[in-house]
Amino acid sequence: MKIILDIPDGMVCGFLNGVVGTRSGLTMVTYSLGSNDLHDGAEIKLPREEQKQ
């Protein structure tokens, strides 16, 4: 899924909340987005744990 956001200038952080299905049922997840993430043309892939190598 791809989501495009129009975020106002001056925003220094944000949070994306969602619900995922797990073996034990539904679980709420929250991803924090810092000022390094919030810039023009940024592409953020979540969950971040999958990016680690």
Side-chain angles (χ1 to χ4, degrees):
M1 175 187 310
K2 189 176 215 175
I3 300 171
I4 298 173
L5 302 174
D6 186 13
I7 299 172
D9 292 339
M11 183 77 64
V12 295
C13 70
F15 297 90
L16 176 64
N17 297 313
V19 176
V20 296
T22 64
R23 286 184 271 177
S24 59
L26 298 176
T27 302
M28 184 171 179
V29 295
T30 300
Y31 301 104
S32 62
L33 305 173
S35 57
N36 291 337
D37 297 317
L38 303 177
H39 59 84
D40 195 29
E43 186 172 313
I44 303 162
K45 302 216 185 251
L46 300 171
R48 295 181 193 274
E49 293 80 15
E50 291 182 0
Q51 294 181 29
K52 295 181 181 176
Q53 294 180 6

